Amino acid sequence: MSFLTLDLNLLRVFDAVMTEQNLTRASGHLAMTQPAVSNAIKRLRESLGDELLIRTAYGVKPTPRAEALWPSVRAALASLEAAVTPQIFDVSKAHATFRMAMADATAAFWLPSLMRSIESEAPGVNVRMVPLTTREPRPMLLRGDVDLAVGFFPGVAAQLSSDTSSPIRHERLYSGQYVCVMRRQHPLAKGELTLDDYCAANHLLVSFSGRAHGLVDEALTQIRRERRILLTVNQFFTAGRVVANSDLITVLPRHLIASTGMTEALLYKELPFPMPAVHLDMLWHEREARSPAHRWLRSHLESMNTVMLRTATGNSISPKADNA
């Protein structure tokens, strides 16, 4: 192959297909027909002497040669785009609609401040919230159902860090701790929370799937203990209401306790066994990476992070020391 005879338009098609990992979505992004996209990939295969993309039941899978080639192609196209596309983004005049996926507590945590900023700084920006009922948001991003997902996605960030071929990008907003939450008049509210008392209590689990097994149960299994989950709910707000009005206890990320709306009726205690940190991650698709509007949204969430977390973790709820 001679670079002088290579049709550089084929690289744009290759980048779109690698980004979407689906010929139909790539054709929509490029405003081309699917046969035209297929033909372009065929011509690039012939030029490079490699299959590049293999069809699967879920789209296409890149070959090792394609995975090695894509970072260079993507960087070159991004450099060209930056050179020819105006980068000035006036948020006060922008018109954009963002589709975001968050659990109810995360949305309650972020949206009030975000909406105040949009009302004052970006009157042409709209937000459409999509329910997040899974710890695996990547299919939603790959399908283009949402532009941004924010939440706790165990293991996803680690997988993305080691998978350079994935079109999903991520950034960590916060790392915090799990705590045990109960009503202020709970029999366990006074004194130290022991492991025996914890395991003997009736528990509520926030579970998107309704499955009565979570990260806490995995941690208890490691020390050969177990608990009784009397109730599962799929919303943090519901969890707060139930715990505030019963003797059930639950485990929540400390920074999300305020999102239950029941902070005056609740207190928290440190867990009597080790638990891994809880992470708040922001995930988006490569197709949005260079969008000035999307960059503004991500940057705005980052800038809101420090102040909001200081308020949530410092002023939202009394710790065990105030109630022992």
Side-chain angles (χ1 to χ4, degrees):
M1 184 204 71
S2 170
F3 182 78
L4 295 176
T5 61
L6 177 65
D7 184 350
L8 298 183
N9 284 319
L10 302 182
L11 298 180
R12 289 185 60 248
V13 176
F14 171 72
D15 178 59
V17 175
M18 287 292 290
T19 297
E20 299 293 347
Q21 296 188 2
N22 182 281
L23 293 180
T24 300
R25 290 196 296 267
S27 63
H29 176 74
L30 294 165
M32 298 171 60
T33 65
Q34 185 171 330
V37 170
S38 297
N39 183 60
I41 294 298
K42 177 183 177 182
R43 290 170 55 200
L44 187 61
R45 284 170 173 155
E46 293 171 350
S47 297
L48 299 180
D50 188 88
E51 190 68 13
L52 295 179
L53 298 157
I54 302 170
R55 287 184 180 272
T56 71
Y58 303 101
V60 291
K61 177 182 179 181
T63 65
R65 175 73 188 283
E67 291 181 352
L69 179 64
W70 188 36
S72 297
V73 170
R74 183 172 51 189
L77 291 174
S79 178
L80 287 171
E81 183 179 11
V84 302
T85 303
Q87 294 299 303
I88 298 175
F89 177 67
D90 187 347
V91 67
S92 66
K93 299 179 181 178
H95 292 274
T97 297
F98 299 114
R99 295 161 300 163
M100 302 171 64
M102 301 181 190
D104 69 302
T106 307
F109 182 69
W110 286 105
L111 290 184
S113 181
L114 179 61
M115 291 304 101
R116 287 194 298 269
S117 297
I118 287 177
E119 285 180 322
S120 61
E121 302 174 23
V125 170
N126 304 309
V127 175
R128 302 289 180 260
M129 293 304 300
V130 175
L132 182 63
T133 58
T134 176
R135 296 296 187 189
E136 175 50 280
R138 284 176 288 186
M140 301 174 71
L141 294 163
L142 288 170
R143 292 192 303 267
D145 295 341
V146 296
D147 304 309
L148 191 72
V150 178
F152 176 45
F153 310 120
V156 172
Q159 292 176 20
L160 292 175
S161 297
S162 61
D163 183 6
T164 58
S165 67
S166 174
I168 305 300
R169 301 289 170 258
H170 78 284
E171 180 173 337
R172 180 143 297 163
L173 293 174
Y174 173 73
S175 292
Q177 64 177 136
Y178 283 109
V179 292
C180 180
V181 180
M182 64 189 70
R183 66 185 180 93
R184 289 185 181 274
Q185 293 77 32
H186 195 283
L188 299 178
K190 294 183 178 181
E192 181 183 358
L193 179 63
T194 68
L195 180 59
D196 286 340
D197 287 340
Y198 178 86
C199 293
N202 287 325
H203 294 259
L204 177 150
L205 170 65
V206 179
S207 170
F208 291 155
S209 66
R211 180 171 173 258
H213 189 87
L215 294 175
V216 170
D217 302 286
E218 294 176 8
L220 288 173
T221 299
Q222 294 297 315
I223 57 175
R224 299 183 179 180
R225 299 299 294 264
E226 61 182 8
R227 61 177 179 166
R228 181 200 175 194
I229 296 176
L230 191 152
L231 174 67
T232 66
V233 299
N234 60 9
Q235 292 185 329
F236 290 85
F237 175 78
T238 304
R241 298 283 296 196
V242 172
V243 170
N245 292 279
S246 72
D247 279 342
L248 272 68
I249 63 176
T250 191
V251 173
L252 299 176
R254 184 185 169 196
H255 68 276
L256 291 184
I257 297 174
S259 301
T260 65
M262 300 299 294
T263 56
E264 296 301 320
L266 300 173
L267 65 86
Y268 74 81
K269 290 178 176 287
E270 305 298 331
L271 289 166
F273 53 90
M275 276 287 293
V278 54
H279 305 297
L280 190 68
D281 288 325
M282 176 168 59
L283 274 64
W284 65 94
H285 196 284
E286 170 68 21
R287 74 172 77 89
E288 309 292 351
R290 298 190 292 269
S291 163
H294 202 278
R295 285 203 303 269
W296 172 85
L297 176 64
R298 299 197 308 269
S299 176
H300 203 72
L301 289 176
E302 293 166 12
S303 66
M304 291 163 51
N305 197 32
T306 302
V307 174
M308 290 183 62
L309 287 170
R310 185 184 303 122
T311 300
T313 58
N315 303 319
S316 64
I317 188 169
S318 298
K320 65 174 183 179
D322 294 341
N323 301 277

